[in-house]
Amino acid sequence: MIRCPPIVPLDPSRTVAELHELARLTSDAQGAQRVCWTPIWQRARDWLTERLEELPVAIETDEAGNRWATLEGRSARRLLIGGHLDSVPDGGWLDGTLDVLAGLEVLRRIAADGVPEHSVSLVDWADEEGARFGLSLYGSSAASGALDLEIARGLTDRDGRPMPEVLTEHGVRFDRVKECGRRLRDAAAYLELHIEQGPVLESLALPLGVVTGTFAAERHEVRFRGQAAHAGSTPMHLRRDALAGAARLTLVVREIARAEHGVGTVGRIEAQPGVVNIVPGGSILTIDQRHESAAALSRMLEQSEAKSRSIAEAEGLEVEWRRLWRIDPIPFDPVLVDLAEASVREATGASHRMASAPLHDAAEVARAGVPTVMLFVQSLQGLSHTPDEDTRPEHLELAVRALDRLADKTMAWISAAAARER
Ligand SMILES: [Zn+2]
């Protein structure tokens, strides 16, 4: 007689223990080292696969390298729960891993209840962070169709190794990666639980919040051109100092973001030639601007461009803008946002709605037309992408409970939608 091991119902404390275990396996003194397409990331995946093999699920890796674990249900519709095991170098223990391990715990609970009404898939997206090749949301954008394969084909890592070559070693056939999009076709809903990575929930003393969508973003590189000159012999009123232009614009970007209640960052600034006794003849700065509202973001951009021209005129410079990247705001499903809020209230007694400035795989899934929502759990001091990233264990447990309730409510919602179609 074959005896199956007993499956224990939801145990959020197990998720916390497993997060610690995974962190021990994949971190060093500098933090988490689960950079995608590296042996340590592979170790994290193998560890996850061992846990999944204890469940009655089908485990598959798709054309892009995303890993799926599916519990077959009675209907062909599917509930997806997702996250990412990969990290930035010297990263934290919760970014992405909480999503996957909380999803694992919910999958265990659903499996323990018997064959579900609808199939449930846990997906571990490949290369969310883009830490090695500079391309974020790789696996989920391959699925949504937004991935630009030609750009990806030309990317190399720090050692000059092309992305297609490295991915081939992980079983990815580069010309076929977008075929993984078929897996979203029968998806009825997508849920993702993530750490907030910002200070808002902590400032409100709330463990959990509901994400209404992701911010619109614009990224530009701005160059000022003046005249390089001798730092001793050139009087102040005759200078065309390109770094002065960049410095003035940096402060303007900050003021505009404050006035529009968005965020604006000059993350890199460079003086050319960058020598102690030469007035800079050139300067380069990068500007990252984000807002929940596309209209407000375009105002922020227009004002910054106009200000850069008036600064250039005042300083005797030329200015040139080049767009590096942009994305529209992506709203999540309003019904799922309501269900998420009810789930968070049931688990914690209070909730808060907020948009996310960081992008997540959920944004790509929503973009593909799958009804989507995210939960955020409080991050201590708002820190992420650092080994100091942390969340209280009791908040992690509440997050698992809220995700579990949301999965139940979403399953019922999928059934009701199916009934309406009949
Ligand atoms: Zn993440």
Side-chain angles (χ1 to χ4, degrees):
M1 194 176 86
I2 299 169
R3 295 190 49 195
C4 293
I7 302 173
V8 190
L10 193 79
D11 177 4
S13 68
R14 171 165 47 187
T15 304
V16 178
E18 287 182 333
L19 283 163
H20 282 295
E21 189 183 334
L22 185 61
R24 274 195 302 276
L25 266 176
T26 59
S27 310
D28 60 21
Q30 276 71 50
Q33 306 297 345
R34 294 179 304 275
V35 175
C36 203
W37 322 114
T38 64
I40 296 180
W41 169 73
Q42 193 59 54
R43 189 188 301 164
R45 270 215 161 161
D46 293 346
W47 179 91
L48 174 69
T49 304
E50 278 170 32
R51 300 293 162 298
L52 289 168
E53 278 167 354
E54 294 162 6
L55 295 173
V57 294
I59 303 166
E60 297 162 286
T61 305
D62 71 18
E63 292 84 350
N66 303 308
R67 185 151 294 177
W68 299 78
T70 300
L71 176 68
E72 267 326 307
R74 287 188 293 274
S75 90
R77 288 160 199 270
R78 252 171 350 124
L79 167 66
L80 309 185
I81 304 174
H84 61 95
L85 288 182
D86 73 305
S87 73
V88 294
D90 304 342
W93 68 302
L94 298 171
D95 182 358
T97 51
L98 170 64
D99 332 7
V100 178
L101 298 198
L104 168 66
E105 190 56 31
V106 172
L107 197 59
R108 282 177 178 137
R109 195 275 300 163
I110 295 173
D113 289 349
V115 177
E117 169 100 38
H118 310 291
S119 299
V120 184
S121 290
L122 176 66
V123 51
D124 167 27
W125 298 109
D127 209 356
E128 191 269 351
E129 301 286 2
R132 184 160 172 188
F133 296 101
L135 182 76
S136 301
L137 310 178
Y138 154 80
S140 52
S141 67
S144 76
L147 175 71
D148 188 325
L149 214 51
E150 282 322 297
I151 290 179
R153 211 182 287 281
L155 297 173
T156 54
D157 67 9
R158 209 182 288 184
D159 302 326
R161 295 198 62 204
M163 187 168 180
E165 186 184 303
V166 172
L167 269 58
T168 301
E169 289 169 6
H170 290 268
V172 174
R173 292 250 323 260
F174 214 71
D175 49 331
R176 292 186 53 194
V177 297
K178 289 176 110 172
E179 289 175 27
C180 72
R182 69 189 156 81
R183 286 176 186 265
L184 295 183
R185 258 174 244 149
D186 57 356
Y190 176 83
L191 311 177
E192 187 173 329
L193 160 68
H194 206 281
I195 52 167
E196 184 200 334
Q197 304 179 287
V200 175
L201 290 172
E202 190 179 35
S203 74
L204 296 170
L206 291 176
L208 286 160
V210 176
V211 188
T212 54
T214 55
F215 274 40
E218 287 273 3
R219 255 177 227 169
H220 289 84
E221 182 184 84
V222 181
R223 286 170 182 261
F224 283 100
R225 256 179 283 274
Q227 177 61 55
H230 194 291
S233 62
T234 316
M236 297 311 286
H237 70 285
L238 295 177
R239 292 182 179 205
R240 295 171 59 213
D241 182 343
L243 189 63
R248 288 178 65 176
L249 185 57
T250 300
L251 298 180
V252 161
V253 165
R254 190 169 68 155
E255 277 159 30
I256 290 172
R258 281 178 181 157
E260 289 285 351
H261 305 286
V263 288
T265 306
V266 173
R268 192 168 78 86
I269 191 161
E270 188 186 316
Q272 293 170 331
V275 176
V276 66
N277 58 356
I278 302 178
V279 177
S283 66
I284 305 173
L285 67 158
T286 58
I287 302 180
D288 178 301
Q289 293 173 302
R290 306 182 195 210
H291 205 288
E292 192 174 353
S293 143
L297 181 63
S298 55
R299 278 199 305 274
M300 284 167 64
L301 180 60
E302 275 164 31
Q303 289 167 25
S304 307
E305 282 172 338
K307 271 286 189 185
S308 76
R309 285 190 295 273
S310 56
I311 290 168
E313 205 181 309
E315 298 282 342
L317 309 170
E318 283 156 36
V319 65
E320 188 187 302
W321 284 65
R322 184 168 74 91
R323 179 178 272 141
L324 300 174
W325 180 73
R326 70 172 297 283
I327 192 164
D328 287 322
I330 301 172
F332 291 156
D333 186 85
V335 177
L336 288 182
V337 167
D338 286 345
L339 295 182
E341 187 167 79
S343 307
V344 169
R345 281 189 194 284
E346 282 171 23
T348 71
S351 182
H352 175 68
R353 292 184 181 215
M354 59 196 293
S356 172
L359 281 164
H360 293 283
D361 293 311
E364 285 297 337
V365 181
R367 184 136 88 148
V370 179
T372 293
V373 74
M374 285 184 82
L375 300 178
F376 270 170
V377 62
Q378 187 190 109
S379 290
L380 290 173
Q381 300 173 70
L383 295 174
S384 187
H385 286 192
T386 150
D388 297 329
E389 171 185 288
D390 207 3
T391 295
R392 286 180 219 289
E394 59 271 30
H395 289 177
L396 293 173
E397 292 191 18
L398 287 172
V400 178
R401 280 192 199 287
L403 181 68
D404 187 57
R405 303 195 96 99
L406 177 58
D408 254 0
K409 289 183 199 298
T410 307
M411 287 286 251
W413 175 70
I414 295 169
S415 301
R420 274 197 303 278
E421 279 169 30
R422 274 198 292 270

